[in-house]
Amino acid sequence: MQFHDPEFVPTDNTIPEQRSSVSLVIVNEQFWSLIDHFSSFTKLVRCIAVWRRYFTILKQRLAKQEVAQGQLTVLELKSAKILLLQIVQQRAFATDYQRLSSGTPIKRKSPIHRLHSFKGNDRLIHVGGRLSKADIGYNQKHPVLLPQHNHVTEIILSEVHRQTLHGGAQLVLSQLRQEYWPVRGIEVAKKSIRDCVTCFRAKPQPVQQMMSDLHESRVTEMYPFYQTGVDFCGPVFIKTPVRSKTRLKMYIALYICLATRAVHIELVTDLTTGAFIASLRRFISRRGRPAQILCDNATIFVGASRELKELELLLASKDHQSKTQSYAVNQGIEFKFIPPRSSHFGGSWESAIKRIKYHLTRTVGNGFFTEEEMMTTLTQIEACINSRPLTPTVGP
């Protein structure tokens, strides 16, 4: 084999003319992909009807026929809706649609097998049933089948949801089944309501924040009321023993053990530092002196803490040692205040106050008790709360 040297043809030194060219890439996007850009079923049907009329007008002009004019007719809107639903069913139920078109029964594994579906004269899949002899509309006897996960189904449900004035899932589904039958309808209806912005703003769901670690008093074994929480509730109105319309305003002081959840209830004559310290003295005398008291960050409690420190200094002097109790001299009560306006820090006593009000509103109601009757009632409520079971009672 012989190789020949390539011949180089000399070229002209002049640069040839260069022209810019533009290349266009045409994407054959399906016409029905525009459906996903609509958020209203009525607008989508009207747009399809307008497009169909436009194509009809082009054909009429080519055939030199009279061109249709005026508003869209009911027949045009109905045919546009049927055409849209046909495309939706052909996409969602492709295999079942072909089998029904050829007269072949639907497979048992199909999700619409139990619906006894059939293909109607409008070439749509309808749901069977036992209402064929009922004197109602055809679509009400045999609703049009809709897929579960489809944009058209979602916008139809949104439209029915607005027509029912943002009704619930059962109302929306019952209204929808007058003409359509979505697969797994209750789930689709609930999803439509969850996606409704108006319903969410009317009843927003609170965000559940992650709670911090439990306080050491809740996970450490200790004596009852060794660490105590305190809170006030009320007011409660007390009637005087004499015949008078005057009502005395009193309050309820709650002491709760942070470890065992046992409660101690005291009736306080007024919301002052002196009344609180008096209730604290009664609590210490009956339950023992706590090592720590956790309470709300309120003005009366801050004042009580200062006054209690002065009281402890006074009791520590030699002149008053013989008149005070020994544990008040050797141990002082440590007050800890939760941050201001943060009642969630005191969930232990807030829940106990809720239980107290539960019994109090059902016992007292709109009536008025005397101070003695109120103290008796609060003592009974205290016994009821302290007698509650430690674990949930499960029946057989």
Side-chain angles (χ1 to χ4, degrees):
M1 180 180 296
Q2 296 181 357
F3 295 93
H4 300 281
D5 295 334
E7 297 181 359
F8 294 94
V9 181
T11 58
D12 192 3
N13 292 330
T14 60
I15 300 175
E17 182 182 1
Q18 296 181 356
R19 295 183 179 181
S20 60
S21 60
V22 178
S23 300
L24 298 178
V25 179
I26 300 176
V27 179
N28 293 324
E29 184 180 6
Q30 294 184 1
F31 175 75
W32 295 105
S33 62
L34 298 175
I35 293 175
D36 297 335
H37 297 281
F38 285 84
S39 59
S40 173
F41 181 69
T42 302
K43 290 183 179 179
L44 176 57
V45 172
R46 292 187 66 87
C47 286
I48 294 175
V50 170
W51 295 335
R52 286 170 59 85
R53 174 180 280 193
Y54 174 71
F55 296 140
T56 303
I57 289 174
L58 293 180
K59 294 179 181 179
Q60 290 174 348
R61 286 181 177 177
L62 291 176
K64 296 182 179 180
Q65 298 176 356
E66 185 179 355
V67 177
Q69 296 179 356
Q71 297 291 332
L72 294 172
T73 62
V74 177
L75 183 60
E76 288 177 324
L77 293 175
K78 185 176 181 180
S79 60
K81 182 169 64 173
I82 291 175
L83 179 61
L84 172 62
L85 296 176
Q86 287 176 1
I87 298 299
V88 170
Q89 290 183 350
Q90 289 174 6
R91 286 183 174 183
F93 313 108
T95 304
D96 298 329
Y97 193 90
Q98 293 177 0
R99 295 180 72 89
L100 290 175
S101 300
S102 60
T104 308
I106 299 176
K107 294 182 179 181
R108 291 182 176 272
K109 295 182 179 180
S110 175
I112 64 174
H113 176 263
R114 294 186 178 183
L115 299 177
H116 303 285
S117 303
F118 65 94
K119 195 171 182 182
N121 297 329
D122 51 4
R123 294 185 298 174
L124 289 175
I125 302 177
H126 292 261
V127 176
R130 304 171 62 188
L131 301 176
S132 58
K133 296 182 180 180
D135 188 15
I136 53 179
Y138 181 78
N139 284 342
Q140 191 173 356
K141 290 188 291 186
H142 303 291
V144 179
L145 188 64
L146 292 178
Q148 179 182 3
H149 303 289
N150 190 273
H151 181 69
V152 175
T153 306
E154 293 176 359
I155 60 178
I156 291 176
L157 270 164
S158 299
E159 190 168 289
V160 175
H161 180 57
R162 289 191 295 269
Q163 290 175 358
T164 55
L165 304 180
H166 298 273
Q170 295 290 344
L171 177 60
V172 172
L173 186 59
S174 62
Q175 190 71 21
L176 180 69
R177 284 178 175 172
Q178 301 296 321
E179 188 174 359
Y180 305 102
W181 189 280
V183 179
R184 304 181 73 87
I186 190 65
E187 296 180 6
V188 178
K190 289 181 179 180
K191 181 181 182 301
S192 176
I193 296 174
R194 287 196 302 268
D195 295 340
C196 180
V197 180
T198 304
C199 293
F200 179 79
R201 289 178 176 177
K203 190 178 179 181
Q205 297 295 330
V207 179
Q208 298 293 335
Q209 300 292 341
M210 182 179 293
M211 302 298 291
S212 60
D213 293 339
L214 295 175
H215 192 263
E216 60 180 4
S217 61
R218 298 187 60 181
V219 294
T220 305
E221 185 177 359
M222 60 186 66
Y223 292 104
F225 295 102
Y226 186 77
Q227 289 188 336
T228 305
V230 61
D231 196 11
F232 268 53
C233 69
V236 291
F237 294 93
I238 306 299
K239 65 179 180 181
T240 56
V242 296
R243 293 183 178 181
S244 175
K245 295 183 179 180
T246 305
R247 298 290 182 264
L248 301 177
K249 185 188 295 186
M250 296 187 180
Y251 295 86
I252 299 173
L254 169 70
Y255 296 87
I256 181 171
C257 176
L258 299 180
T260 63
R261 292 296 188 274
V263 299
H264 176 88
I265 303 174
E266 288 285 346
L267 184 64
V268 182
T269 55
D270 55 2
L271 204 61
T272 58
T273 302
F276 168 67
I277 293 179
S279 68
L280 180 60
R281 287 177 177 176
R282 294 193 296 270
F283 165 73
I284 293 174
S285 300
R286 295 169 59 186
R287 304 295 182 183
R289 189 183 185 90
Q292 185 184 83
I293 292 182
L294 191 65
C295 55
D296 286 336
N297 195 348
T299 306
I300 57 167
F301 294 124
V302 174
S305 177
R306 296 196 203 98
E307 200 164 323
L308 188 61
K309 289 179 181 178
E310 295 177 0
L311 180 62
E312 289 183 353
L313 293 176
L314 179 64
L315 296 178
S317 63
K318 295 181 180 180
D319 298 335
H320 295 85
Q321 283 185 359
S322 59
K323 299 180 181 179
T324 60
Q325 301 176 3
S326 60
Y327 66 86
V329 177
N330 299 326
Q331 279 187 327
I333 299 177
E334 179 186 3
F335 272 81
K336 285 190 176 181
F337 302 100
I338 64 176
R341 297 178 181 86
S342 56
S343 58
H344 59 281
F345 276 72
S348 302
W349 53 77
E350 295 294 345
S351 60
I353 284 179
K354 181 180 178 180
R355 287 192 291 269
I356 292 175
K357 291 181 178 179
Y358 176 87
H359 294 284
L360 201 60
T361 53
R362 286 158 176 77
T363 305
V364 181
N366 296 326
F368 297 97
F369 284 2
T370 61
E371 183 176 355
E372 184 179 0
E373 292 173 342
M374 181 60 69
M375 292 175 61
T376 304
T377 303
L378 292 177
T379 306
Q380 291 177 331
I381 294 175
E382 176 185 315
C384 291
I385 296 177
N386 289 334
S387 300
R388 65 189 185 277
L390 298 178
T391 58
T393 304
V394 181

